[in-house]
Amino acid sequence: MHELSIALSIIEGASSEASRHGDVKVSAVHLKLGPLSGVVKDALLFSFELACEETALEGSRLVIEEVPVLVFCPNCKMERTPPSIQQMCCPVCGEWTPQVVQGHELELVALEICE
């Protein structure tokens, strides 16, 4: 369960950013998560809550925006959603493609600050 170490890294990054802005209280941490990141959303949510205890982020929420996989089809010259993450091909023409445009995200995008 590497999600605990990822949660600890998120907390460290968010705490550092909150400290940089005058030790503000963080109410929520927003994260983008793609299915190719190798992270299990529910395990990360559980780990975040556990890892926040007795830190500056205790009581804050982890808000995860799930980002779908997109591939670039070299045949159609368009970005498409593949049939599944096991089938990286164009759903229109069937061309296989190694060009993943999005879906690997594990990105801290915003913090909500309490007033």
Side-chain angles (χ1 to χ4, degrees):
M1 185 165 132
H2 68 285
E3 282 79 2
L4 181 57
S5 64
I6 293 168
L8 290 168
S9 293
I10 292 168
I11 292 166
E12 182 180 324
S15 296
S16 174
E17 193 64 23
S19 177
R20 209 167 62 83
H21 291 284
D23 288 326
V24 293
K25 176 79 176 148
V26 175
S27 61
V29 176
H30 292 258
L31 185 79
K32 284 188 177 180
L33 184 65
L36 301 176
S37 67
V39 175
V40 177
K41 177 184 174 183
D42 290 339
L44 183 58
L45 288 167
F46 174 78
S47 297
F48 182 82
E49 186 176 330
L50 185 69
C52 278
E53 290 180 10
E54 299 182 21
T55 71
L57 271 71
E58 185 169 12
S60 65
R61 299 175 293 123
L62 180 60
V63 180
I64 297 177
E65 175 189 350
E66 295 182 84
V67 179
V69 174
L70 286 179
V71 295
F72 182 79
C73 175
N75 204 27
C76 300
K77 308 286 187 222
M78 294 191 70
E79 293 179 0
R80 306 265 191 203
T81 302
S84 75
I85 60 172
Q86 288 82 28
Q87 280 186 292
M88 291 298 182
C89 62
C90 177
V92 176
C93 71
E95 179 78 18
W96 289 91
T97 178
Q99 296 179 30
V100 177
V101 177
Q102 72 175 29
H104 289 104
E105 290 81 357
L106 176 57
E107 182 181 353
L108 179 65
V109 292
L111 300 177
E112 280 183 40
I113 307 297
C114 296
E115 292 290 328

